[in-house]
Amino acid sequence: MIKNRRTLFLLFAGLALLLLVQSCQEKTEETARPNIIFIMSDDHAYQAISAYSDKLIRTPNIDRIAHEGMLFTNASVTNSICAPSRATILTGKHAHIHGKVDNNFPFDTTNVTFPQLLHQSGYQTAMFGKLHFGNNPKGFDEFMILPGQGDYYNPEFITNKGDTTIEGYFTDIITDLTIDWLDNRKKDDRPFLLMYLHKAPHREWIPAERHYREFTKMTFPEPETLFDDYSGRGTAAKEAEMNLLKHMTISADNKIYPELADKLGIKEPSDWGKNVFYQKYKRLNEEQKKSWDEVYQPLNDEFEKLYPTMNDTAFMRWKYQRYMQDYLGCIASVDENVGRLLDYLKKTGQDKNTIVVYTSDQGFYLGEHGWFDKRFIYNESFKTPLLVKWPGTIAPGSVSDEMVQNLDFAQTFLEAAGITPPDDMQGESLIPLLEGNENLWTRDVVYYHYYEYPGFHMVKRHYGIVTKNYKLAHFYYNIDEWELYDRKNDPMEMTNVYNDPAYADVVKEMKEKLTEIRAKYKDTKESDQKYIDKYRERGLIKE
């Protein structure tokens, strides 16, 4: 009897020990999976991050991510417009596959997103900030997002627990929400995905009070191509409606009170600018309005004296300075708040096993070629900032010039978490590059396709490919024009060399690559026509 009891005891003890060891192993494996913090701003030009160039602004906190990790100098988007870019990031698919080809087309909700897969595999998930499409993001334990474009001041939020309004400045608020989640609701025994999504510096570029008081006094260097006449390009560049002088509103964008604009006889491109100015100003509480008027009323008074003396050149230069003062003022708050988050992670020790990504949903024109906005395959629009740190994996201070895209984020995060990506994802994991194994990276060309025409800013439909050396674009639908740029010898993309005999062999090779890559990504003439027909169905094309 005693012998049987002893045997039974040893059996149970051994089983308990086995379960304990297995539990510890599972917990160790779970803990080893990295946390992921995805920081994305809206329309943040790479030219306005000092890790790329300190000509316009210093961004020491965003730069920290590059100093502690990797800076990508050839990162790009697949479609330079907000909602399609975000859908591509979430799904790892091109726009013609996920269906969100512009800001108005619906997102195909049958698409599986990487947050869903991380959540299913045990990750805690949270999203704070600006998603810009859909009000119920899948795969998140908690979210607080703006409805549509949302507001800089006193923003409304959609949450999975009901809608709410929070008083204050949006960039500060979402950082408070993000740190509060990390501090109070994140569970320490599970890895997490945190999406921290800024509205800034999206149009209409409304800075925090502490920054507009400072930045409205500054003067910024003009880009070399501010007065580009597009003589070296085709029809698309000449007909786009994003010129600072002609298309930037004096009220919503440059903060001139509509009453003064009317008094001076300034004609706006439409009533949009006046209506938006009133809408945003009315959102301010009395204290915020008082602070606003203390700064912008004297600016208006000065403009009233200057405007009658201005020719088009002087007016263009004035508009550029006003644009930069507010745009860069918005970025100053983003940089401060990224610093707050990085400091919190370091203080709590959560930085050690955490991937931190900083990017934008696309690039943006800061007066280059006389433009604001994005949409084109040209560099300032097509290229996007990308900075990644991952302690113990990425060597600090690394730089990569490989051709990477926002299409690649989903696979990268899934591989980092040990999850096999779905077969229909179209990107490539960046892990080999992050680990310093550039020899394992085989992509030398990326694909781009823009659809929204006719539409806001009237940038014509086009698709194309980009390598480190060349860029080939085909503008189609109501024109049939090809453009080729030599990226090494013409970095500002001033001269289309498609018809230059010296580039005949390059054109032939690039067209072959374009045919191959369109087949690879299943983008066809039939697909092009499909989305033209959908524009007709919606009454956007009238012929």
Side-chain angles (χ1 to χ4, degrees):
M1 186 74 174
I2 294 175
K3 184 177 180 181
N4 289 340
R5 285 180 179 176
R6 183 176 296 170
T7 301
L8 193 60
F9 171 77
L10 291 173
L11 180 64
F12 277 114
L15 181 61
L17 182 61
L18 179 63
L19 291 172
L20 180 62
V21 169
Q22 183 179 355
S23 174
C24 289
Q25 286 176 338
E26 289 175 354
K27 187 170 183 179
T28 300
E29 290 171 2
E30 187 74 7
T31 303
R33 301 169 77 190
N35 306 311
I36 301 166
I37 297 182
F38 184 75
I39 310 172
M40 182 165 67
S41 295
D42 196 319
D43 293 342
H44 191 171
Y46 65 90
Q47 315 93 283
I49 294 177
S50 49
Y52 290 95
S53 170
D54 60 2
K55 184 176 180 181
L56 290 172
I57 191 173
R58 294 289 304 172
T59 52
N61 295 298
I62 296 172
D63 292 357
R64 283 164 59 185
I65 301 173
H67 296 156
E68 297 175 18
M70 180 173 286
L71 179 75
F72 287 85
T73 59
N74 256 326
S76 64
V77 296
T78 62
N79 181 359
S80 185
I81 185 169
C82 299
S85 180
R86 293 160 189 266
T88 291
I89 288 168
L90 289 172
T91 64
K93 301 174 186 176
H94 280 275
H96 65 280
I97 301 293
H98 61 60
K100 190 72 176 166
V101 298
D102 67 16
N103 284 341
N104 297 310
F105 265 95
F107 174 65
D108 181 354
T109 55
T110 63
N111 281 291
V112 175
T113 66
F114 80 81
Q116 287 176 271
L117 297 173
L118 288 174
H119 190 259
Q120 290 167 12
S121 76
Y123 269 70
Q124 304 166 84
T125 54
M127 174 187 287
F128 300 101
K130 180 179 179 180
L131 176 60
H132 192 202
F133 74 91
N135 294 338
N136 187 24
K138 293 182 179 180
F140 289 94
D141 297 312
E142 182 176 337
F143 63 83
M144 292 187 71
I145 59 174
L146 292 174
Q149 294 288 2
D151 290 285
Y152 278 102
Y153 279 87
N154 311 324
E156 298 172 5
F157 284 93
I158 298 167
T159 84
N160 49 353
K161 297 179 181 178
D163 298 351
T164 187
T165 299
I166 302 177
E167 194 159 292
Y169 187 66
F170 180 79
T171 310
D172 300 333
I173 291 169
I174 64 160
T175 309
D176 293 341
L177 295 171
T178 297
I179 292 175
D180 177 64
W181 182 82
L182 287 167
D183 224 13
N184 296 307
R185 291 183 301 289
K186 177 189 67 64
K187 297 178 176 62
D188 291 336
D189 62 341
R190 292 165 55 198
F192 65 83
L193 164 69
L194 175 60
M195 300 191 76
Y196 168 52
L197 309 176
H198 290 276
K199 172 179 172 62
H202 192 277
R203 193 181 188 187
E204 302 71 41
W205 317 299
I206 303 176
E209 177 190 346
R210 62 188 181 274
H211 293 125
Y212 65 65
R213 287 187 181 276
E214 175 187 4
F215 277 74
T216 50
K217 299 174 184 177
M218 294 183 179
T219 301
F220 298 93
E222 295 174 359
E224 293 180 41
T225 60
L226 181 62
F227 295 97
D228 189 357
D229 62 3
Y230 318 117
S231 58
R233 305 202 198 196
T235 304
K238 294 180 176 71
E239 295 187 1
E241 297 179 358
M242 57 175 70
N243 183 270
L244 273 74
L245 180 64
K246 298 176 182 178
H247 306 115
M248 179 174 279
T249 70
I250 194 72
S251 47
D253 295 326
N254 296 142
K255 316 302 188 294
I256 295 301
Y257 299 143
E259 296 84 357
L260 177 57
D262 290 342
K263 178 182 176 181
L264 295 172
I266 299 174
K267 294 183 180 180
E268 292 278 47
S270 68
D271 289 337
W272 178 87
K274 182 185 296 186
N275 295 337
V276 168
F277 179 93
Y278 286 131
Q279 176 193 351
K280 302 305 179 185
Y281 185 78
K282 286 178 181 177
R283 285 201 68 83
L284 304 178
N285 61 34
E286 291 307 311
E287 184 178 345
Q288 291 164 346
K289 285 178 182 175
K290 181 175 180 293
S291 297
W292 179 276
D293 290 335
E294 285 176 357
V295 173
Y296 286 102
Q297 184 61 61
L299 188 151
N300 274 251
D301 294 341
E302 180 185 5
F303 178 72
E304 184 174 8
K305 296 174 184 175
L306 283 174
Y307 181 71
T309 70
M310 289 181 178
N311 58 20
D312 283 352
T313 299
F315 194 21
M316 177 80 149
R317 286 190 160 128
W318 180 90
K319 279 190 152 189
Y320 169 75
Q321 293 300 331
R322 278 276 50 252
Y323 173 31
M324 287 298 93
Q325 288 166 358
D326 290 340
Y327 179 95
L328 297 172
C330 289
I331 288 175
S333 66
V334 173
D335 187 68
E336 283 180 353
N337 280 282
V338 167
R340 286 178 58 202
L341 178 58
L342 294 177
D343 288 345
Y344 172 85
L345 293 172
K346 186 173 183 179
K347 179 181 177 181
T348 58
Q350 295 179 67
D351 59 330
K352 293 181 176 59
N353 190 34
T354 299
I355 301 171
V356 178
V357 174
Y358 186 90
T359 191
S360 173
D361 49 358
Q362 62 266 317
F364 212 69
Y365 290 105
L366 305 184
E368 297 89 0
H369 310 291
W371 286 335
F372 65 102
D373 207 70
K374 58 256 183 181
R375 290 169 165 78
F376 275 115
I377 196 173
Y378 306 138
N379 266 355
E380 293 82 6
S381 163
F382 165 78
K383 288 178 66 173
T384 192
L386 178 59
L387 306 84
V388 186
K389 79 183 190 79
W390 187 1
T393 297
I394 302 176
S398 301
V399 178
S400 174
D401 70 345
E402 297 299 333
M403 304 300 298
V404 304
Q405 288 192 295
N406 57 354
L407 183 71
D408 303 324
F409 295 158
Q411 270 106 319
T412 303
F413 298 144
L414 293 176
E415 181 177 337
I419 301 169
T420 302
D423 292 337
D424 60 350
M425 283 189 173
Q426 296 180 306
E428 297 181 27
S429 170
L430 302 178
I431 297 294
L433 296 178
L434 301 180
E435 293 178 338
N437 297 319
E438 289 192 358
N439 58 307
L440 299 179
W441 184 259
T442 59
R443 180 199 287 157
D444 63 354
V445 58
V446 293
Y447 183 62
Y448 181 88
H449 198 152
Y450 176 80
Y451 298 85
E452 192 183 74
Y453 182 89
F456 212 41
H457 296 299
M458 298 301 283
V459 172
K460 294 185 184 295
R461 294 169 184 255
H462 60 290
Y463 57 80
I465 57 170
V466 185
T467 68
K468 290 181 182 179
N469 294 324
Y470 299 103
K471 180 176 295 182
L472 178 72
H474 180 216
F475 292 86
Y476 69 98
Y477 167 58
N478 65 338
I479 59 172
D480 181 10
E481 294 183 8
W482 290 84
E483 296 183 9
L484 177 73
Y485 294 94
D486 186 328
R487 300 185 72 203
K488 298 295 185 183
N489 294 314
D490 181 20
M492 289 186 285
E493 299 173 325
M494 297 293 287
T495 306
N496 173 20
V497 295
Y498 180 80
N499 292 315
D500 186 335
Y503 287 87
D505 290 342
V506 175
V507 169
K508 181 182 177 182
E509 181 183 354
M510 291 291 281
K511 278 194 167 183
E512 289 173 355
K513 287 180 179 288
L514 178 60
T515 299
E516 291 171 3
I517 204 167
R518 274 174 62 86
K520 173 184 176 180
Y521 291 132
K522 302 177 182 178
D523 200 13
T524 63
K525 288 183 178 180
E526 291 75 20
S527 176
D528 300 344
Q529 189 60 48
K530 168 186 171 182
Y531 287 108
I532 291 171
D533 291 341
K534 284 182 176 291
Y535 264 57
R536 285 197 180 95
E537 292 170 9
R538 293 164 60 191
L540 297 174
I541 292 177
K542 299 176 183 178
E543 298 172 326

